Amino acid sequence: MKKKSLFLVALLALALSSGGLAAKVFITIGSGSMTGVYYPVSSGIAKMINTYLAKDGIRANARSTGGSAFNVKAIANGQLQAALAQNDVTYFAYNGLTQTFEGRPVKAIRGIGTLYPEFLHILARPGSGIKTLADLKGKKVYVGDIGSGVEQTTKRVFEAAGLTFGDLAQAVRGKAGQAVELLQDGKIDAMFYVVGAGSAAMQQATEIAKAYFVPLPLDIIQKLINKYPYYTQVIIPAGTYKGQDLSVPTVGVKATFIISKDIPDEVVYKIAKLLFVDKVDEFKAIHPALGTFFSVKKALDGLTIPLHPGAAKLYNELGIEIPDLAKPVK
Ligand code: GLU
């Protein structure tokens, strides 16, 4: 090759590597099952990123997954770059706690912010005879998908109630939508689901399968909060679902938007500013769970892992105080 054409090839390579022609960053956002709230929220976030940040070389898509525990691990191994995850699971993962993460802490995850509360829904099949947690013994119970946050929280609730999955006739796993169908067909007796209020799966369970809520006793809620301070006492207000006449006391966590530590600061800053400030009304319109609860001023409440420095920059600019647990780590 002549000297001149060699020079041109080098120039082209430089243009490509500096991102002149190609997208610089592609972010796959891990969510949960299609009938949950993570999936529509993650899809909405990806759409906003593609609409407003493609000009900056940032593109995204959403992927349906088993849920929080899968998501944090998949960020660590590079299958995902961002995700929604429960704040109890992010805490267990980052600190290497519980059977799932013991000896395998997940240090690659960073916080962007908490988005909305998730409620533990305990639903039982009409005719199952289940009134209390103790009645679950010998029953077939859906305890969450493989890799879900649902299973993590459900295990903690069982422990607090002095029960184990071994006390059940069967601990059933799979997609939440399939669990609702099993409930409807009388093939399982109850289901546990940690999800934002108003998910499609819970609407179907209450409206079509006519499942009823089992309240979580206050002493169990208190035990959980004493042991794990990021659990909160919450109420699923009466009327959240058709035919639900009573408010339901239960335990709550926060849905958190998390990202890999390897995503550059300016990319995370742009994403956080787009969603939480510049287009916050559009962001909140993605789903009623966000619309009801999201506010950037509360987005550090319940964050249990360090912030990504790119997100921390935004909170600093807004004058929002960063709690110790959320202090950014590179
Ligand atoms: N909180 C659930 C989990 O981590 C997912 C809920 C949803 O998909 O909205 O397993």
Side-chain angles (χ1 to χ4, degrees):
M1 224 186 275
K2 291 224 177 88
K3 255 193 184 162
K4 197 173 165 193
S5 43
L6 262 179
F7 175 72
L8 283 176
V9 169
L11 208 66
L12 183 69
L14 192 73
L16 279 171
S17 68
S18 69
L21 299 178
K24 284 182 210 150
V25 186
F26 195 92
I27 293 172
T28 297
I29 308 169
S31 59
S33 84
M34 298 268 192
T35 51
V37 176
Y38 284 8
Y39 186 73
V41 168
S42 300
S43 304
I45 291 174
K47 195 168 160 223
M48 286 182 68
I49 291 174
N50 293 334
T51 305
Y52 297 107
L53 300 180
K55 63 171 173 32
D56 301 313
I58 309 169
R59 295 190 60 82
N61 70 353
R63 183 175 144 194
S64 173
T65 72
S68 298
F70 173 88
N71 291 349
V72 292
K73 288 184 194 163
I75 287 181
N77 68 29
Q79 283 184 65
L80 297 173
Q81 287 68 49
L84 263 62
Q86 296 175 200
N87 66 339
D88 55 344
V89 176
T90 55
Y91 187 83
F92 298 148
Y94 193 79
N95 296 292
L97 302 172
T98 77
Q99 221 182 347
T100 311
F101 301 105
E102 216 176 310
R104 294 182 296 272
V106 182
K107 293 290 183 196
I109 51 171
R110 296 289 178 274
I112 297 180
T114 55
L115 304 185
Y116 60 86
E118 295 188 85
F119 304 84
L120 171 63
H121 295 62
I122 310 174
L123 286 168
R125 176 179 61 77
S128 64
I130 297 168
K131 290 199 190 78
T132 66
L133 291 179
D135 297 333
L136 294 170
K137 282 187 188 165
K139 303 284 188 193
K140 290 183 185 160
V141 180
Y142 172 78
V143 297
D145 203 353
I146 294 164
S148 66
V150 178
E151 180 172 0
Q152 298 287 324
T153 310
T154 303
K155 268 203 181 136
R156 305 289 90 77
V157 172
F158 269 60
E159 283 162 12
L163 297 167
T164 70
F165 289 174
D167 293 319
L168 303 172
Q170 199 186 337
V172 179
R173 293 180 179 79
K175 300 255 164 268
Q178 288 164 350
V180 174
E181 279 165 26
L182 292 175
L183 200 66
Q184 202 171 324
D185 296 345
K187 299 214 169 87
I188 60 171
D189 302 298
M191 77 178 280
F192 283 63
Y193 195 30
V194 180
V195 71
S199 73
M202 293 297 89
Q203 277 171 19
Q204 196 184 335
T206 47
E207 280 172 41
I208 300 169
K210 304 274 182 252
Y212 64 91
F213 281 96
V214 180
L216 202 58
L218 292 183
D219 62 315
I220 302 286
I221 300 176
Q222 205 48 57
K223 240 189 193 173
L224 283 165
I225 296 174
N226 290 347
K227 192 156 180 202
Y228 311 101
Y230 33 82
Y231 284 123
T232 55
Q233 181 179 342
V234 290
I235 292 218
I236 304 173
T240 303
Y241 299 95
K242 247 194 200 149
Q244 177 214 343
D245 302 328
L246 297 174
S247 320
V248 184
T250 188
V251 77
V253 293
K254 293 268 164 50
T256 310
F257 188 29
I258 61 171
I259 196 149
S260 160
K261 69 173 177 35
D262 297 330
I263 300 296
D265 292 2
E266 64 276 16
V267 172
V268 179
Y269 173 79
K270 278 191 174 132
I271 293 173
K273 186 160 179 291
L274 170 78
L275 303 173
F276 295 175
V277 180
D278 295 346
K279 301 281 176 196
V280 67
D281 291 337
E282 189 173 334
F283 176 59
K284 287 174 69 164
I286 292 175
H287 194 279
L290 282 173
T292 313
F293 297 104
F294 181 77
S295 145
V296 70
K297 293 204 183 87
K298 289 190 300 181
L300 296 179
D301 291 0
L303 195 71
T304 54
I305 53 167
L307 277 169
H308 192 290
K313 183 178 168 216
L314 179 73
Y315 293 105
N316 285 332
E317 278 176 10
L318 296 171
I320 296 170
E321 200 185 327
I322 299 175
D324 280 348
L325 212 52
K327 288 268 185 288
V329 169
K330 192 66 201 150

